[in-house]
Amino acid sequence: MANTQGRDIFPPSCSIIFLLLKLLSYSLSAKGKADFSVSGPGQPVLAMVGESVKLQCHLSLNISAEDMEVRWYRKEPSPAVHLRKKGRDMPEEQMWQYKGRTTFWTAGLAQDQAVLTIRNVTVFDNGTFHCKFKESTGSAEATLWLRVAGLGSEPRIQVRAGQDEGIRAECTSEGWYPEPQVEWRDFRGQTLPSTTNLTVSPTTGLFAVVSNVIVWDRDVGNLSCSISNPLLQKRMETKSHLPAAVLWQEPPVFSGNVRGTGIGCSWKKRD
Ligand SMILES: *[C@@H]1O[C@H](CO)[C@@H](O)[C@H](O)[C@H]1NC(C)=O
Ligand SMILES: *[C@@H]1O[C@H](CO)[C@@H](O)[C@H](O)[C@H]1NC(C)=O
Ligand SMILES: *[C@@H]1O[C@H](CO)[C@@H](O)[C@H](O)[C@H]1NC(C)=O
Ligand SMILES: *[C@@H]1O[C@H](CO)[C@@H](O)[C@H](O)[C@H]1NC(C)=O
Ligand SMILES: *[C@@H]1O[C@H](CO)[C@@H](O)[C@H](O)[C@H]1NC(C)=O
């Protein structure tokens, strides 16, 4: 109600000024439109943790970007990932996370592309980037996606003999990104149920894995712990040959069918 009343008492002269302002802003934005456009790779760019990655943007025309302001940024335009103004890098306006890690390739500037190299990629680089080209008549920008991947360390398996609780094996590994998948298999290649703990390092953002299995079947032979990165579709696997890690001793603690050797036993750690 109050709103309608407010509109009613709005003086006509104000409406005209408002209209004029609107027209003015239209013409301004039209003037701000660049006569070129910018494009990125379209596909997400894959980068490995600790390595370097090149982010490329192309101008639609074969024009020089040398005199343009080129700004690479994440969420907010400022501070930037990398900023070049009047042919000069501007570290003053750079995010601290990117200080000393970026190079803008001037060699490409005379042509139609701009390449930004980011060194020592971290998981915090995963996500969206923008490259914005600005000249006197206007600006244009493109969006890029960076996908960061980390292949962790080779898994380590530790086997501990339990008393009445079967054989406990623990698999550990660090340096994974994104979230890895863990799988245990027995010598027949059958998966074993396990409990897995993933923790994120507060400094690197990488995942560490601690995974446990309890094996009841004495016939289990070899155990393997396999950790895979879904993004890279690569895995690291370690096999543990149980009889090398534990010693046959004492009569069996479990009843039931002992396949294969027929040796009655329980597992015990070698001293
Ligand atoms: C782009 O322009 C540069 C310099 O003006 C020229 O040397 C180059 O051949 C041009 N490239 C294309 C693909 O037209
Ligand atoms: C790369 O980044 C990691 C994590 O931020 C850091 O610990 C390491 O020192 C950096 N390495 C180089 C060569 O800058
Ligand atoms: C990493 O970035 C990509 C886009 O580049 C996004 O789709 C994905 O969700 C991000 N991953 C994580 C774990 O944030
Ligand atoms: C997983 O981590 C939590 C917290 O650190 C801990 O309480 C729990 O015992 C761990 N579980 C396993 C299976 O290691
Ligand atoms: C266990 O692994 C060892 C060494 O890799 C291999 O020689 C042996 O045949 C394996 N045993 C079984 C039961 O798979």
Side-chain angles (χ1 to χ4, degrees):
M1 262 315 186
N3 271 347
T4 359
Q5 267 167 8
R7 210 174 277 160
D8 284 341
I9 57 159
F10 203 70
S13 56
C14 283
S15 305
I16 289 163
I17 290 170
F18 180 72
L19 252 173
L20 280 175
L21 277 174
K22 216 157 182 195
L23 276 172
L24 189 63
S25 75
Y26 272 137
S27 64
L28 270 179
S29 68
K31 208 177 160 194
K33 249 196 201 135
D35 50 5
F36 61 92
S37 67
V38 181
S39 60
Q43 302 270 351
V45 179
L46 184 66
M48 296 295 292
V49 167
E51 293 182 1
S52 294
V53 68
K54 280 193 169 94
L55 298 178
Q56 291 197 24
C57 284
H58 294 264
L59 291 171
S60 59
L61 301 170
N62 187 16
I63 49 170
S64 170
E66 237 154 346
D67 299 327
M68 294 189 190
E69 177 188 307
V70 186
R71 183 186 294 271
W72 295 83
Y73 66 95
R74 302 290 306 263
K75 282 197 183 77
E76 304 291 338
S78 186
V81 170
H82 193 102
L83 175 62
R84 166 164 303 227
K85 264 183 188 169
K86 297 180 183 130
R88 201 173 79 78
D89 291 329
M90 308 287 287
E92 308 88 316
E93 248 192 86
Q94 189 172 35
M95 290 167 76
W96 62 265
Q97 292 93 332
Y98 291 99
K99 288 215 188 292
R101 290 173 60 212
T102 55
T103 305
F104 186 84
W105 294 98
T106 45
L109 264 189
Q111 281 99 55
D112 55 353
Q113 59 176 282
V115 182
L116 183 75
T117 300
I118 302 176
R119 288 178 298 278
N120 196 14
V121 165
T122 75
V123 308
F124 306 110
D125 296 330
N126 189 79
T128 309
F129 287 78
H130 307 275
C131 59
K132 182 173 183 177
F133 292 75
K134 195 167 141 192
E135 52 163 19
S136 51
T137 54
S139 67
E141 65 177 89
T143 300
L144 303 88
W145 296 272
L146 190 62
R147 303 217 66 175
V148 176
L151 191 63
S153 60
E154 205 169 290
R156 298 172 300 281
I157 299 180
Q158 252 198 331
V159 179
R160 290 191 205 98
Q163 280 298 92
D164 297 335
E165 50 176 16
I167 308 147
R168 176 188 282 272
E170 187 173 87
C171 177
T172 52
S173 173
E174 306 81 31
W176 294 89
Y177 194 84
E179 223 174 278
Q181 278 148 12
V182 183
E183 197 171 70
W184 287 89
R185 285 181 187 276
D186 63 15
F187 77 101
R188 283 166 297 205
Q190 269 163 357
T191 56
L192 299 166
S194 58
T195 50
T196 296
N197 246 13
L198 293 179
T199 51
V200 177
S201 158
T203 50
T204 63
L206 295 164
F207 288 97
V209 175
V210 178
S211 183
N212 283 281
V213 280
I214 293 171
V215 182
W216 295 98
D217 188 348
R218 274 150 289 162
D219 197 24
V220 78
N222 294 335
L223 272 179
S224 76
C225 169
S226 157
I227 307 178
S228 55
N229 181 315
L231 188 56
L232 298 171
Q233 301 200 312
K234 275 191 188 163
R235 61 194 183 121
M236 300 288 274
E237 188 180 54
T238 297
K239 279 191 177 141
S240 172
H241 189 47
L242 284 184
V246 290
L247 200 65
W248 300 93
Q249 250 192 18
E250 296 168 18
V253 246
F254 322 117
S255 57
N257 188 19
V258 180
R259 296 208 278 139
T261 61
I263 302 172
C265 62
S266 68
W267 299 98
K268 202 168 179 194
K269 231 188 205 157
R270 199 177 261 161
D271 293 323

